[in-house]
Amino acid sequence: VLEPEASEEEVVDMVSVLHNMLEICSVISNMDHALHANTWKFVIKQSLKHQSLLENHLRHNDIVCSLCQDILITLHSCLQLAEQMKLSGSQEDLNSAEYKLFQKTLKLSRFFGNTLVHYTKECMAFLAKSCSSLHQLCLQIYSKVSPGAYSSSVPETLREELARSLLVPMDPLIVQLLSYRPFVEVVLARNQELPADLTAAH
């Protein structure tokens, strides 16, 4: 724990610990949902608890991009599970192993979404480099969860669960981001590179 009068060396050491923990998140993401979430909780809690000391040293873009990546990975897993349940006809079986894993993965994705909203709110001034990743995240979530071509293979009931869990955090995130000029500039930029699947849809 850092004291308010912590030395520069202590601050640098804490930053190193947090970024090492961030790397651990990527390693354990497919191993243990609870450990993955708790590691993220540690990173975010310590980053914000000592924000005044750390904010100029943290690689905020790494944190935000890792959160965006984890949201999309868990979303993809949920979509795969939903398609499997549709094919096997088990989407109505709330006791099936697939549905339980779907719920567990969806809960983790919602946690990442809420964590991202909280972190961006507290550290917005440092997120100029993260705007492209945040924009792509919003596009991907809305294209895959909202009613439309990208979510047509997902049963309606499961898509509604996805929407409740993932679109709800997106609303406050977008409100925050639209008041942040660097993000608006990224959205409006003519040379914005869209993912191939979204480019085809425009």
Side-chain angles (χ1 to χ4, degrees):
V1 177
L2 288 177
E3 299 296 333
E5 63 277 6
S7 67
E8 181 76 10
E9 183 179 355
E10 290 172 320
V11 169
V12 171
D13 286 345
M14 175 60 84
V15 169
S16 179
V17 167
L18 293 176
H19 282 290
N20 285 337
M21 295 296 286
L22 193 61
E23 291 180 10
I24 291 173
C25 280
S26 65
V27 174
I28 64 175
S29 60
N30 292 322
M31 299 179 186
D32 187 310
H33 283 188
L35 182 59
H36 190 192
N38 286 330
T39 305
W40 262 116
K41 286 179 183 177
F42 175 84
V43 170
I44 300 301
K45 181 179 179 180
Q46 295 302 316
S47 297
L48 299 181
K49 180 178 180 180
H50 306 294
Q51 185 174 359
S52 61
L53 293 171
L54 302 179
E55 60 186 7
N56 292 316
H57 300 270
L58 285 171
R59 298 195 299 273
H60 297 280
N61 186 52
D62 288 359
I63 294 174
V64 170
C65 288
S66 293
L67 273 173
C68 290
Q69 184 178 26
D70 279 346
I71 291 170
L72 291 176
I73 288 172
T74 50
L75 169 60
H76 181 67
S77 295
C78 284
L79 291 171
Q80 283 188 321
L81 286 165
E83 290 177 10
Q84 289 172 17
M85 284 186 279
K86 181 179 181 180
L87 290 174
S88 65
S90 63
Q91 67 264 30
E92 303 297 334
D93 183 2
L94 303 185
N95 294 315
S96 70
E98 289 174 328
Y99 183 74
K100 289 179 179 179
L101 183 56
F102 174 84
Q103 285 288 317
K104 190 175 181 180
T105 307
L106 187 57
K107 182 179 179 181
L108 187 61
S109 192
R110 181 170 62 244
F111 163 76
F112 291 143
N114 289 330
T115 299
L116 180 63
V117 172
H118 182 49
Y119 192 80
T120 54
K121 180 180 179 181
E122 297 298 328
C123 302
M124 185 69 77
F126 300 90
L127 301 185
K129 292 181 179 180
S130 306
C131 290
S132 180
S133 295
L134 290 165
H135 182 217
Q136 303 297 347
L137 174 71
C138 294
L139 290 174
Q140 287 284 352
I141 288 179
Y142 277 101
S143 70
K144 294 182 184 300
V145 177
S146 299
Y150 297 100
S151 55
S152 59
S153 60
V154 177
E156 183 66 26
T157 54
L158 298 181
R159 189 169 68 224
E160 288 175 358
E161 289 189 52
L162 281 165
R164 285 196 300 270
S165 292
L166 294 176
L167 294 183
V168 171
M170 285 298 102
D171 288 342
L173 178 64
I174 290 174
V175 169
Q176 292 174 20
L177 292 172
L178 288 178
S179 65
Y180 186 48
R181 184 168 180 174
F183 178 80
V184 175
E185 290 175 350
V186 165
V187 173
L188 296 178
R190 292 183 178 179
N191 63 346
Q192 177 66 40
E193 295 182 3
L194 295 176
D197 55 349
L198 293 182
T199 304
H202 281 66

